[in-house]
């Protein structure tokens, strides 16, 4: 029998895909660990217009252990033992320990009082529904009189309206208003503003004297009234009532070993739906097996390769938790086909939800698909197919493409497109998926896009391109750029950024053509980019400073208004390293500039502007901070040119600050300071997930 059991276990292990891991199902994470703790529904149960995500707040000692959102329902749990009341983290006997965490579900336990254990599972079941499953156990040797109070509140008190018990059904209903920001309104983004909400649940007391308390949903309170809870409760009474929206506070007399188990369902949907219908839609969640949710998540994460780790300073455990968190961020941002999108697509952030980040896809965000492809190959390819299906006959692709948005942003009649990383992304995704059907589709779309760019962005027909349309947006670097602000707008210049990207696009097309067996076209693409490489080296390279700069498109000089005013060292000067344009001598000079600690080799990565520049601000915007996706391109350039030591150093500089922030605030950020433990400006930002590629590409080196 023992032999058969061993064979069975071995067969299970061998049947798992390469890289299979249940790491996130077996955590022991405290608030000091680098774990991403924002949660949103899985792609299969997500919906754009009424989507709601939640951040787990478990590291602020002056608040409760809560699930919060900027626009929606916020919820937590308060406790009493005898006459003592606790809800603040600082008052707990033992703070939360997370045992499982995926993009949509988290399980954890904590002790509000000694010997009183709370086991909590929070699942964002869908864009409209959440499940809270809670068990309270008396682990002590004596009887305990335990009280608990689930509480709910809103971002602002004026949104709390009409809480009422259902006349026939066991639930509470309320109205919730979520106003669109000005960007959403201006772009007609159809996010639902007026919603119906319901909350319902049950409580089961598991002991020798088992009984069920029906019609219980716990307590409701407005923001800033939780401090009134202890004062307003009469804890001497078995069912104490309180003011300001509180319904009941439940007490239980628990013998040693007794356990209270209850579940609370919250639902939000369009105000057109009747509360009773939302209740009917949601009541089956009382019986949902949350273990199945975790098993589904384990399967979704099973393709991801185990992280190859050999960190120089951050511990292995820190980087491993960070690595898996990157994929939780990426997965969380994916949405199912809807509206104009026949394929899955992504948004920048689901919690918080903000206009600029909720419109649709942009090429510079799609660099993140180069990491997501390891988790969901089909999903990453389908995200690119969103661009294929919306491409115009002339090759143009929108600046931003979403389920309800085709953003073109015309300037003097010229539409804005995105920075050309399109073919590069498609090739990198193919290298993970090895799907030639996708590659053939990508090649046809990519050829047209490349031709659109080179024919519409070379106004003087000299073989070099400048940014067009709304040039600052098209260039990605859309604010606080030293050259744009101090010298002139981007459409005036031919730069190493755009032209390096176009070289990489042509090189990628050549490689794709070769893979597809079209050697003649591959040779044509190589010939196409050769001339651009030569012009970049001839016009934009300055041997005196060992760097690439923008040039005046009218005369090809480094002067626009005053002599050499374009000689400003920005991160774009390193892109010829990534694009394979610089020869070995120029590469050595670029690496020398990059590793100068007074300019670019800062404590936490390569900033977007030299630290010697008077416009430098390490936590500004495009005038100093570290942008993860750009530092990744420099990392790849160093790696491709054999600079192994510098490659590792750059990777761990960037990761060190990202890990620190994930430890301290448990979110990913849009940008990070090059010099300090600071980050900004928008959180839960999809492209930060690309950081997983630092570790994958290092391969344990």
């Amino acid at each position: 029998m023992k032999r058969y059991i061993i064979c069975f276990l071995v067969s299970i292990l061998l049947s798992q895909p390469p890289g299979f891991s249940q790491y996130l199902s077996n955590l022991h994470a405290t608030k000091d660990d680098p774990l991403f703790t924002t949660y949103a529904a899985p792609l299969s149960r997500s919906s754009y217009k009424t989507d709601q995500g939640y951040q787990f707040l478990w590291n602020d000692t002056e608040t409760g252990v809560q699930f919060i959102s900027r626009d929606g329902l916020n919820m937590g749990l308060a406790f009493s033992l005898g006459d003592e009341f606790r809800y603040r983290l600082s008052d707990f006997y033992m703070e939360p320990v997370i045992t499982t965490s995926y993009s949509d579900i988290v399980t954890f336990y904590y002790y509000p009082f000694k010997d009183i254990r709370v086991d909590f599972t929070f699942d964002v079941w869908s864009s409209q529904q959440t499940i809270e499953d809670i068990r309270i156990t008396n682990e002590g040797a004596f009887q305990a009189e335990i009280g608990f109070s689930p509480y709910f509140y809103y971002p602002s008190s004026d949104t709390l309206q009409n809480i009422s018990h259902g006349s026939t059904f066991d639930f509470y209903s309320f109205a919730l208003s979520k106003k669109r920001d000005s960007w959403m309104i201006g772009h007609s983004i159809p996010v639902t503003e007026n919603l119906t909400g319901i909350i319902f649940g049950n409580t089961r007391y598991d002991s020798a004297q088992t009984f069920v308390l029906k019609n219980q949903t716990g307590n409701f309170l407005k923001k800033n009234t939780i401090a009134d809870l202890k004062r307003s409760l009469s804890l001497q009474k078995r069912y104490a009532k309180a003011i300001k929206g509180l319904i009941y506070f439940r007490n239980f007399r628990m013998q040693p070993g007794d356990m209270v188990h209850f579940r609370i369902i919250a639902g939000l949907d369009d105000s057109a739906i009747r509360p009773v219908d939302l209740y009917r839609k949601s009541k089956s969640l009382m019986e949902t097996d949350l273990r199945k949710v975790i098993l589904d998540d384990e399967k979704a994460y099973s393709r991801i390769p185990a992280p190859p780790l050999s960190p120089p300073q951050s511990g292995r455990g820190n980087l491993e938790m960070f690595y898996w968190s990157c994929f939780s961020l990426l997965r969380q941002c994916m949405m199912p086909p809807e509206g104009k999108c026949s394929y899955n697509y992504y948004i920048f952030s689901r919690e918080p939800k903000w206009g600029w980040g909720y419109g649709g896809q942009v090429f510079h965000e799609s660099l993140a698909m180069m990491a997501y492809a390891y988790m969901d190959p089909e999903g990453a390819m389908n995200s690119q197919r969103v661009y294929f299906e919306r491409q115009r006959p002339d090759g143009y692709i929108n600046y931003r493409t979403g389920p309800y948005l085709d953003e073109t942003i015309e300037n003097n009649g010229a539409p804005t497109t995105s920075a050309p990383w399109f073919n590069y992304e498609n090739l990198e995704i193919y290298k993970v998926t090895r799907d030639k059907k996708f590659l053939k589709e990508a090649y046809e779309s990519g050829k047209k896009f490349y031709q659109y760019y080179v024919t519409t962005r070379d106004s003087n027909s000299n073989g070099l391109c400048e940014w067009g349309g709304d040039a600052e947006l098209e260039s990605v670097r859309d604010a606080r750029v030293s050259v744009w602000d101090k010298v002139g707008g981007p459409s005036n210049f031919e730069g190493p950024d755009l032209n390096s990207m176009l070289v990489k696009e042509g090189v990628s097309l050549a490689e794709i053509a070769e893979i597809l067996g079209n050697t003649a076209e591959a040779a044509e693409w190589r010939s196409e980019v050769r001339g651009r490489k030569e012009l970049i080296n001839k016009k934009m390279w300055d041997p005196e400073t060992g760097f690439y700069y923008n040039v005046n498109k009218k005369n090809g000089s480094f002067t626009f208004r005053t002599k050499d005013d374009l000689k400003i060292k920005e991160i774009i000067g390193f892109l010829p390293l990534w694009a394979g344009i610089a020869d070995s001598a120029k590469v050595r000079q670029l690496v020398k500039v990059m590793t100068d600690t007074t300019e670019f080799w800062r404590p936490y990565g390569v900033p977007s502007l030299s630290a010697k520049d008077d416009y430098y601000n390490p936590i500004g915007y495009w005038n100093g901070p570290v942008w993860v996706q750009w530092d990744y391109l420099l990392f790849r350039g160093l790696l491709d040119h054999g600079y192994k030591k510098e490659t590792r150093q750059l990777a761990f500089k960037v990761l060190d600050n990202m890990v620190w922030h994930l430890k301290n605030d448990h979110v990913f950020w849009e940008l990070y300071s090059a010099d300090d433990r600071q980050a900004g400006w928008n959180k839960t930002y999809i492209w930060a997930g690309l950081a997983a590629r630092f570790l994958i590409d290092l391969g344990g080196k």
Side-chain angles (χ1 to χ4, degrees), residues 227-247:
D228 299 329
L229 184 57
K230 184 176 180 180
R231 292 192 299 272
S232 64
L233 290 173
S234 174
L235 295 176
Q236 291 78 19
K237 296 180 179 180
R238 189 161 184 81
Y239 301 114
K241 291 188 176 181
I243 60 172
K244 296 191 176 180
L246 289 167
I247 308 303

Side-chain angles (χ1 to χ4, degrees), residues 50-51 81 122 293 309 355 435 442 466 493 547 569 585 622 676:
T50 55
D51 188 56
L81 180 62
F122 180 81
V293 174
L309 303 173
D435 188 314
E466 68 279 347
F493 315 125
F547 208 68
K569 288 183 180 176
W622 286 101
D676 309 293

